[in-house]
Amino acid sequence: MGEFELIRQYFAAAACAKPSGNLLLGIGDDCALASLPQGEVLAISTDTLVSGIHFPDLCDPFLLGQRALAVSTSDLAAMGATPLGFTLALTLPKAEADWLCAFAKGLNLMAEQCSMRLMGGDTTRGPLSLTLTVLGHLPPQQSLKRSGASVGDLLCVGGTLGDAAGALPVVLGQQILPDHLAQPLLAQYWSPQPQLALGQALRGRATAALDISDGLLADAAHIAQASGVCLELRQDALPLSPALQAAYGGEQAVDYALSGGDDYRLLFTLPPQWLPVLTAEGWDISVIGRVSQGQGVVVLDAKGHVQTPLRQGYRHF
Ligand code: ADP
Ligand code: MG
């Protein structure tokens, strides 16, 4: 199978590659063309996933396609952007039909779930790696940056924390869990759902936001630094799923939630008057702390005593 046959069969032919909405011209020309709603700006983010670093060398290609797009699209959610589309730069050791077919299916499924269009890409030979660039749009005044948190805001998170970190030992074959506990954790690892709707609901409400990829503590530190504030985190308020608690017990579950990474949940700061509004709208959010004067991140127990977490988040270098 040649390069162009591969592109045509697995990517250009995918349902998510069909131009529609803001995507005017898709795969097949020198550039894709897209329009923006009047007065809105582009939100752009790139992520690279390397085999052996971001996912196991031998992993299910369907799940990989799903996960790759989900983790990239999560950055659009974190900015409050409306999804537009993405490009895929794919480096493959060999062109294997079964692998490509399953990978494209997973990618396509997540693209449909996120209303993302495949706009173009590049295909090369080499050790397996994926680079996805995602594009979205939003009114510039309403973007959710990391820098706007102010003293008195609540610190909130969407959904539960630590589930993907709890799945990782299972993914790596280091841990065996009964099916009813493994399944919900693995689902969170392999197909995290980018919180796009929540991100858009936070426009003009949240003062700062990001998506948690390297672990709550590490990512909270980014908001603290960009905003010049201290984030006080209450350990007893961490939203832990029943599966995570049942699989690992309290202390380990808390460690996964604080430092595990791969959550792809939105962490945001919210002026208190918005909490009842968001709650009435039915969003699954938890208040896990507050913004105070100072710098950095502190973890407090139920009595307000400062805790020393077991470890910080993931760092490549
Ligand atoms: P060029 O030579 O202009 O860079 P290519 O030959 O690399 O173009 O790609 C041809 C077309 O196929 C382009 O529209 C490109 O965006 C698209 N494309 C290439 N690889 C992929 C891929 N993995 N996924 C989606 N589109 C791709
Ligand atoms: Mg090219």
Side-chain angles (χ1 to χ4, degrees):
M1 177 172 24
E3 176 188 338
F4 297 107
E5 172 60 12
L6 184 162
I7 296 168
R8 194 192 59 72
Q9 190 169 338
Y10 297 104
F11 298 111
C16 65
K18 224 172 126 182
S20 83
N22 289 302
L23 179 60
L24 309 176
L25 180 68
I27 294 174
D29 219 306
D30 294 308
C31 287
L33 299 174
S35 60
L36 289 178
Q38 182 96 43
E40 299 205 357
V41 294
L42 268 183
I44 308 164
S45 168
T46 293
D47 277 301
T48 296
L49 282 81
V50 178
S51 179
I53 307 279
H54 299 95
F55 57 90
D57 285 320
L58 289 174
C59 79
D60 182 324
F62 176 86
L63 296 174
L64 178 62
Q66 233 183 16
R67 178 171 147 81
L69 183 57
V71 306
S72 307
T73 302
S74 180
D75 284 318
L76 295 179
M79 213 67 194
T82 305
L84 174 54
F86 67 105
T87 62
L88 167 69
L90 182 61
T91 304
L92 285 171
K94 54 184 183 292
E96 228 183 304
D98 288 349
W99 192 96
L100 280 159
C101 185
F103 174 80
K105 270 199 185 131
L107 192 76
N108 198 61
L109 184 69
M110 188 52 72
E112 303 269 289
Q113 283 172 16
C114 296
S115 303
M116 288 286 270
R117 317 299 302 170
L118 178 56
M119 305 169 79
D122 201 19
T123 306
T124 50
R125 187 191 294 272
L128 180 60
S129 89
L130 321 166
T131 297
L132 285 89
T133 298
V134 295
L135 299 136
H137 56 86
L138 78 172
Q141 321 76 9
Q142 294 187 356
S143 61
L144 306 174
K145 303 194 193 76
R146 298 176 174 190
S147 55
S150 46
V151 175
D153 288 346
L154 304 172
L155 181 66
C156 306
V157 68
T160 56
L161 291 171
D163 297 313
L168 192 59
V170 181
V171 172
L172 297 176
Q174 299 163 348
Q175 170 95 32
I176 296 171
L177 292 176
D179 233 30
H180 73 285
L181 298 180
Q183 285 315 321
L185 302 182
L186 287 169
Q188 194 50 42
Y189 180 87
W190 283 118
S191 55
Q193 299 296 313
Q195 296 181 312
L196 289 159
L198 175 59
Q200 289 167 55
L202 295 178
R203 282 183 188 173
R205 297 173 171 179
T207 48
L210 52 64
D211 63 319
I212 303 171
S213 55
D214 294 338
L216 173 62
L217 287 178
D219 286 318
H222 294 138
I223 291 184
Q225 185 171 24
S227 300
V229 294
C230 172
L231 298 186
E232 288 178 12
L233 249 150
R234 282 200 2 250
Q235 188 167 303
D236 60 309
L238 295 174
L240 307 174
S241 72
L244 185 71
Q245 285 177 291
Y248 293 103
E251 200 180 342
Q252 178 70 69
V254 166
D255 173 61
Y256 281 144
L258 286 174
S259 313
D262 286 330
D263 290 299
Y264 302 104
R265 306 291 203 186
L266 298 191
L267 177 71
F268 55 97
T269 55
L270 190 73
Q273 72 267 23
W274 286 112
L275 183 63
V277 179
L278 287 170
T279 309
E281 288 175 0
W283 297 105
D284 171 22
I285 58 176
S286 306
V287 177
I288 59 167
R290 63 187 188 112
V291 180
S292 65
Q293 249 165 27
Q295 56 183 10
V297 180
V298 291
V299 182
L300 306 174
D301 68 9
K303 295 194 182 108
H305 297 143
V306 176
Q307 300 292 291
T308 309
L310 295 174
R311 60 201 171 103
Q312 299 291 327
Y314 185 80
R315 280 170 185 245
H316 283 277
F317 297 102

